[in-house]
Amino acid sequence: MINTGLFEDFLHLAQSRNFSTTSRERGMSQSTLSRRIAALEGFVGRELFDRTIQPVALSEAGEMLLPLAQDILEKMEEVRTIGHPTARRVETCHLIALSTLALHFFPDWLSRYETTESWQVDLLNTEPLLAANIRNFLRGQAEFLLTFADDRVPDLLALRHHRYIVLGHETAVPVSRPDADGAPIWSLDGEAEIAYCGYTRGSFFQQALTPCFDRLGDRLCKVRDNSMAAVIHGLVRQGHGMCWLPRVMVEDDLKAGVLVRAGGPDFDLPTEIRLYRSHNMSRYAQSLWNAVSSGHQICRRSVRLA
């Protein structure tokens, strides 16, 4: 029977992509880690990592093994709880969330799962750009990443090997301050130039809105720039320009007439709200994942060997 610790080594290395980092955090020498990975490769019969590039990358066989290794360790944890149903767990886990979701989604979402126990989830400081949040997640700073998602966003490719669940959907809508007659000051209809309060290059919405930018072309004239939707919200309310903002953020303003739509539904940007999980989970984090993923389809990339 193969040592299941080899699968833990494999999952850690699949996320860190660095033998030195994994050996240090797993408490062994780099040569020992190399031997253990080689032993797993011998068992599988294929190389699991491409060691010719840095950082190392999963081979096709490694991509196939990834979800199986996660399943094996999760089932082993279920077996362990048969004889230790009240075993003491780690007291907390960590989550990285985009700032808008941290403010407008995370608190109510987590409270739905606190009917029988209170989950201790530390919300870590949010970086302004999506890539930085993904990088911190991949470096193991948190077990979970809560993010808007659109498969056309290039930065999300870094998460292609990670499991996730879709917790909900959000729509970014084009909004503007109204004029005295209630019409948008900056309208996407027509041919006039549009003052645009833009997202910083590399932010999620800057990447996701590319089709809209391409459609409008030179009509968009960026007058302000920020990575945080909350800041741009204030700028739009002051009349500096229009922008696409999550409906959850502007719903009350639209109802009150403080903001109006700057374009029709064909300019809306639908997005998913995804919770990604780390390859390396504490027992406490695994318990939370089991609770929140129940009833959801667990998504992961499907890989086939040629």
Side-chain angles (χ1 to χ4, degrees):
M1 183 175 183
I2 191 168
N3 180 358
T4 56
L6 300 184
F7 293 114
E8 295 175 354
D9 298 337
F10 166 75
L11 290 178
H12 197 293
L13 184 57
Q15 179 150 318
S16 75
R17 302 180 64 191
N18 185 284
F19 274 85
S20 177
T21 299
T22 292
S23 60
R24 181 178 66 253
E25 295 184 359
R26 293 283 292 160
M28 65 185 73
S29 68
Q30 191 167 333
S31 60
T32 298
L33 174 63
S34 295
R35 288 195 299 271
R36 289 170 65 87
I37 294 298
L40 184 58
E41 289 175 326
F43 179 77
V44 173
R46 294 282 296 275
E47 289 190 352
L48 300 174
F49 293 93
D50 182 353
R51 297 167 174 80
T52 64
I53 59 175
Q54 291 296 327
V56 298
L58 286 170
S59 66
E60 286 186 310
E63 291 183 357
M64 288 195 69
L65 178 62
L66 184 61
L68 300 176
Q70 291 170 326
D71 288 341
I72 289 169
L73 292 178
E74 289 175 11
K75 294 301 182 184
M76 289 301 295
E77 179 61 21
E78 291 180 16
V79 172
R80 191 198 69 84
T81 60
I82 293 174
H84 305 84
T86 60
R88 184 175 178 80
R89 299 181 299 179
V90 178
E91 294 295 332
T92 189
C93 58
H94 303 87
L95 181 143
I96 295 171
L98 300 191
S99 58
T100 300
L101 293 172
L103 290 171
H104 296 282
F105 182 83
F106 172 74
D108 289 340
W109 166 74
L110 186 62
S111 67
R112 300 174 202 167
Y113 302 95
E114 296 187 325
T115 54
T116 57
E117 68 175 291
S118 179
W119 293 101
Q120 300 301 313
V121 181
D122 289 343
L123 190 59
L124 302 186
N125 290 334
T126 300
E127 295 283 352
L129 300 182
L130 176 62
N133 286 290
I134 292 175
R135 183 167 59 250
N136 289 340
F137 170 70
L138 294 178
R139 288 175 175 173
Q141 293 187 12
E143 290 94 343
F144 301 103
L145 173 66
L146 182 64
T147 180
F148 292 117
D150 183 318
D151 286 333
R152 294 171 296 185
V153 172
D155 284 348
L156 290 175
L157 284 173
L159 299 171
R160 63 190 181 277
H161 298 310
H162 286 258
R163 292 179 176 184
Y164 67 87
I165 54 176
V166 177
L167 299 177
H169 296 81
E170 181 56 85
T171 301
V173 296
V175 292
S176 166
R177 182 171 172 172
D179 60 19
D181 297 323
I185 296 176
W186 310 105
S187 174
L188 301 182
D189 298 326
E191 300 297 331
E193 189 175 82
I194 306 162
Y196 167 61
C197 297
Y199 291 95
T200 303
R201 183 177 178 84
S203 62
F204 171 79
F205 283 112
Q206 184 273 334
Q207 297 178 69
L209 285 166
T210 297
C212 292
F213 300 154
D214 292 342
R215 177 179 174 183
L216 293 165
D218 295 336
R219 290 183 61 205
L220 282 182
C221 178
K222 186 183 289 187
V223 294
R224 293 289 189 276
D225 188 282
N226 202 279
S227 60
M228 296 184 64
V231 174
I232 294 177
H233 182 202
L235 294 172
V236 173
R237 290 187 60 165
Q238 293 168 19
H240 291 284
M242 61 76 58
C243 192
W244 284 260
L245 290 166
R247 183 177 289 277
V248 67
M249 180 178 287
V250 299
E251 192 70 53
D252 290 343
D253 285 347
L254 290 172
K255 290 179 180 177
V258 175
L259 294 176
V260 294
R261 292 188 62 106
D266 56 320
F267 281 104
D268 288 357
L269 174 70
T271 69
E272 293 180 339
I273 300 173
R274 292 181 187 173
L275 182 71
Y276 284 90
R277 56 152 289 172
S278 169
H279 296 326
N280 310 302
M281 304 281 280
S282 67
R283 289 173 180 169
Y284 186 75
Q286 183 65 55
S287 296
L288 176 59
W289 172 258
N290 291 342
V292 302
S293 64
S294 177
H296 291 277
Q297 178 183 2
I298 298 177
C299 304
R300 58 194 176 197
R301 187 184 180 200
S302 178
V303 179
R304 292 184 180 180
L305 288 176

